[in-house]
Amino acid sequence: MWTHMFALTLPIAEKMLRPAIVYAFLVVMLRIFGKRELAQLNPFDLVVLLSLSNTVQNAIIGDDNSVSGGLIGAFTLFAVNYLVVRFLFKHRRLDEVLQGTPTRLIEDGCLCHGGMAKEMLTESELLTVAHRQGFGALDEIHHCTLEPGGTFYFEAKEPRPHEREHAQVMKRLAELGSQLDDLRRLVTR
């Protein structure tokens, strides 16, 4: 039993090369197909991302279903990712080239149709993301950017109600603190 579980049917070098090649391919494909794939905006994109792992599974493990082969493949993926992240950390310009740049979707309250077309985003998809961020409508947004990692950054046109309330509470606390200081000065005289 133990020999079948851990016996490798492929050379170790091949077991390490396969995941490295698939890793590089997936990084390039995600860069080519854009930030939208990372943002998981709609069910179609989610299906693609979930299917990727199953699609490339055999390319990574080959004909080897042993525990040892799976562990070597997993270790190789972790190691390659660690080395790439470490390398890109030291080479920021290359990191920017590989990851891309942020895309403006809303600028000064107006939709940037060029940016939305580049990322293949519809207005209704952007509205859905805005709703998740607590915005009721797109006209409440001053700036919106889709970051290279697939994260949306929103900036409201004016402070939101909870931000205004927080500012009012902080102002009132400052006034109370000032009044307490005045009282202390009167008492210590």
Side-chain angles (χ1 to χ4, degrees):
M1 174 174 96
W2 294 104
T3 56
H4 294 297
M5 279 179 51
F6 294 100
L8 293 173
T9 59
L10 297 173
I12 291 178
E14 182 178 341
K15 292 299 294 178
M16 295 178 81
L17 189 59
R18 284 173 170 268
I21 291 170
V22 171
Y23 177 91
F25 173 79
L26 290 176
V27 167
V28 169
M29 288 298 104
L30 286 172
R31 174 65 176 101
I32 289 171
F33 286 99
K35 298 175 274 261
R36 177 188 174 88
E37 299 302 324
L38 298 174
Q40 298 181 11
L41 294 178
N42 64 42
F44 306 110
D45 297 331
L46 183 59
V47 167
V48 168
L49 287 174
L50 291 174
S51 299
L52 265 177
S53 63
N54 194 42
T55 302
V56 299
Q57 175 186 354
N58 288 338
I60 290 176
I61 64 169
D63 293 333
D64 186 355
N65 289 326
S66 69
V67 172
S68 299
L71 295 177
I72 291 170
F75 171 79
T76 302
L77 284 174
F78 281 119
V80 168
N81 188 59
Y82 174 80
L83 293 173
V84 167
V85 169
R86 191 166 183 82
F87 180 80
L88 291 177
F89 179 75
K90 292 180 180 179
H91 300 86
R92 300 310 287 167
R93 181 68 188 124
L94 182 59
D95 185 36
E96 290 175 14
V97 169
L98 288 176
Q99 286 201 24
T101 57
T103 304
R104 287 275 185 192
L105 302 174
I106 298 176
E107 181 71 41
D108 295 325
C110 298
L111 288 175
C112 299
H113 294 287
M116 291 180 65
K118 176 185 172 194
E119 299 301 337
M120 293 185 281
L121 276 170
T122 65
E123 193 172 330
S124 65
E125 289 173 324
L126 185 57
L127 181 61
T128 299
V129 175
H131 284 162
R132 286 188 211 141
Q133 297 296 317
F135 292 96
L138 293 178
D139 61 1
E140 298 175 9
I141 302 168
H142 185 60
H143 293 289
C144 175
T145 305
L146 179 57
E147 299 295 330
T151 303
F152 288 89
Y153 168 74
F154 289 95
E155 183 181 316
K157 282 186 178 176
E158 57 186 53
R160 294 163 142 178
H162 71 276
E163 292 169 343
R164 282 192 303 269
E165 290 169 6
H166 181 270
Q168 289 170 349
V169 167
M170 294 305 290
K171 180 181 175 186
R172 185 69 181 130
L173 281 173
E175 290 170 359
L176 288 171
S178 176
Q179 290 172 353
L180 280 173
D181 290 341
D182 291 343
L183 283 172
R184 283 188 193 121
R185 278 189 222 111
L186 286 173
V187 171
T188 57
R189 283 187 186 171

